Amino acid sequence: MTQSNSVQALFQPFTLHNLTLNNRIVMAPMTRQFSPEGVPGSDVAAYYRRRAENNVGLIVTEGTIIDHPDASNQQNVPHIYGEAALKGWEKVVSDVHAAGGKIIPQIWHMGARGQVGDYTEQEVQEIVQQFAKSAASAKEIGFDGIELHGAHEYLIDQFFWNKTNPRTDRYGGDMVQRTRFAVEVIEACREAVGPDFPIVFRFSQWKGSDYSAKLAETPEELERFLQPLSDAGVDVFHCSTRRFWQPEFEGSDLNLAGWTKKLTGKPTITVGSVGLDGEFMSLFKEGKGAEVSGIDDLLHRLEQGEFDFVAIGRALLADPAWASKIQEGRLDELVAFSPAALQTLN
């Protein structure tokens, strides 16, 4: 494989508050389920350290669960609460930092078992406080920031979407009113971590049950949706798409991250099949892998300032040295993704 564009744009530093990243490569959050009873062990620490050793600028961990009964139905998804889990994450952070990397946890509630309307306002407030408690714990054990998972029809996103939020109280209503829960989570987390601790917010248009769904049909609607989140204290928006190269709206080549940066002025992370020739849902629907592909279009967009960071998922799952190989021009050594990569923490 050849690559015509310079990769220099990928390897420029970026400073956000008190955090300086060596480059623009982000490890995308990917659920692994290798944390028995929610506790990450030495194998998880080694897994993340390998990516830090190979020049990933920022690692976003797999989703980590807050302390709430409905937060997860998967036994081996890691927690971000409780002494044992936090001690495990402290080891992960220490190992990543020793390798010269930076790391933030993705803080997650997987969603209501029924509808978000089934929660009382008191329960909603309790969940908000558990997000904030996990954010404070993340800072205390040495993480470099946090990411809040507001995408893919998980809990925060269930409040966003009119099809999953029938509430008639202050957490329901029109598009802006449906951001209230997320705003309260962001504000509570900001209060818990202080003004200089980076908060990343991940959102998506598509849903786990509807890949064609759109919260916002136009740039104007997207701006209305994003503004309350931005004002609440988001530092970086992580804009989840299945294919980074697809325009978000007709009449413009900008993708979701491009539009989000244009509308909010905040830094953004793009993601979606970077470095591979097939989008990730083909893995879950058909068990398919993906071959290595070039990143010239990605580099051009980054150079033009369409977005600020690039999140790599399956390519980094298959190849811990992906970033180093890209920087050093060892393109022929890049490893294709196969479903077997899911079976071990390589």
Side-chain angles (χ1 to χ4, degrees):
M1 183 186 72
T2 60
Q3 198 160 275
S4 57
N5 285 7
S6 167
V7 299
Q8 184 177 1
L10 269 178
F11 294 93
Q12 298 298 310
F14 192 99
T15 297
L16 182 69
H17 297 315
N18 296 327
L19 175 64
T20 296
L21 303 175
N22 291 332
N23 61 57
R24 308 305 181 89
I25 297 175
V26 175
M27 181 177 182
M30 292 173 283
T31 298
R32 302 309 315 276
Q33 299 193 57
F34 282 94
S35 297
E37 303 297 326
V39 178
S42 58
D43 55 343
V44 174
Y47 162 76
Y48 287 117
R49 178 171 182 145
R50 279 189 286 276
R51 276 74 186 170
E53 289 171 338
N54 282 284
N55 211 16
V56 171
L58 177 65
I59 292 169
V60 183
T61 74
E62 60 210 283
T64 64
I65 299 302
I66 65 168
D67 187 7
H68 183 261
D70 285 348
S72 175
N73 58 6
Q74 297 176 356
Q75 189 173 27
N76 296 325
V77 168
H79 299 168
I80 190 71
Y81 68 90
E83 184 177 353
L86 293 175
K87 187 175 180 180
W89 281 120
E90 192 170 17
K91 166 67 170 169
V92 174
V93 171
S94 176
D95 281 13
V96 167
H97 285 170
K102 304 293 184 182
I103 184 169
I104 66 176
Q106 184 186 73
I107 301 179
W108 193 23
H109 187 303
M110 294 178 67
R113 294 177 185 176
Q115 289 186 321
V116 296
D118 296 338
Y119 292 128
T120 66
E121 286 201 34
Q122 180 179 347
E123 286 177 295
V124 173
Q125 286 299 306
E126 290 170 355
I127 294 170
V128 168
Q129 292 309 309
Q130 288 301 330
F131 271 101
K133 185 177 179 180
S134 287
S137 295
K139 182 177 181 180
E140 183 177 347
I141 63 177
F143 278 108
D144 298 295
I146 61 167
E147 175 170 289
L148 298 170
H149 197 341
H152 307 165
E153 212 176 339
Y154 295 119
L155 185 67
I156 293 175
D157 195 29
Q158 288 177 331
F159 276 87
F160 287 152
W161 201 25
N162 61 354
K163 292 187 179 180
T164 49
N165 183 355
R167 298 180 74 105
T168 57
D169 60 8
R170 65 197 184 101
Y171 296 106
D174 66 18
M175 173 186 286
V176 173
Q177 292 170 317
R178 294 195 304 272
T179 68
R180 167 50 50 190
F181 173 64
V183 164
E184 291 187 3
V185 169
I186 296 161
E187 290 176 341
C189 289
R190 175 57 71 203
E191 183 176 356
V193 300
D196 297 325
F197 196 69
I199 295 179
V200 180
F201 190 89
R202 194 177 213 212
F203 78 100
S204 67
Q205 296 262 48
W206 66 272
K207 312 301 165 197
S209 61
D210 186 352
Y211 302 132
S212 64
K214 283 187 180 290
L215 289 170
E217 296 283 353
T218 65
E220 292 76 20
E221 287 186 353
L222 183 62
E223 185 173 24
R224 289 179 60 229
F225 167 73
L226 291 171
Q227 197 61 54
L229 308 178
S230 182
D231 291 345
V234 172
D235 294 302
V236 179
F237 284 99
H238 189 172
C239 309
S240 181
T241 57
R242 296 163 65 204
R243 306 171 181 91
F244 80 86
W245 57 87
Q246 289 190 332
E248 191 57 38
F249 303 113
E250 289 186 10
S252 168
D253 290 334
L254 291 178
N255 69 8
L256 184 60
W259 273 110
T260 299
K261 181 178 180 179
K262 179 177 180 177
L263 294 170
T264 67
K266 298 287 180 75
T268 60
I269 304 170
T270 197
V271 69
S273 304
V274 174
L276 297 174
D277 68 354
E279 56 90 18
F280 74 100
M281 290 312 302
S282 62
L283 166 67
F284 301 106
K285 292 188 291 186
E286 304 169 49
K288 292 174 63 175
E291 295 299 320
V292 172
S293 68
I295 58 171
D296 279 348
D297 181 40
L298 179 84
L299 293 171
H300 175 72
R301 289 168 180 259
L302 183 61
E303 288 171 345
Q304 295 300 308
E306 183 174 341
F307 37 75
D308 302 277
F309 302 97
V310 176
I312 316 297
R314 290 167 298 150
L316 266 177
L317 201 64
D319 190 350
W322 187 91
S324 293
K325 291 175 181 178
I326 291 291
Q327 184 175 26
E328 296 163 10
R330 295 185 287 139
L331 305 182
D332 292 340
E333 299 178 27
L334 292 172
V335 178
F337 172 78
S338 75
L342 298 176
Q343 307 305 315
T344 181
L345 286 173
N346 72 318

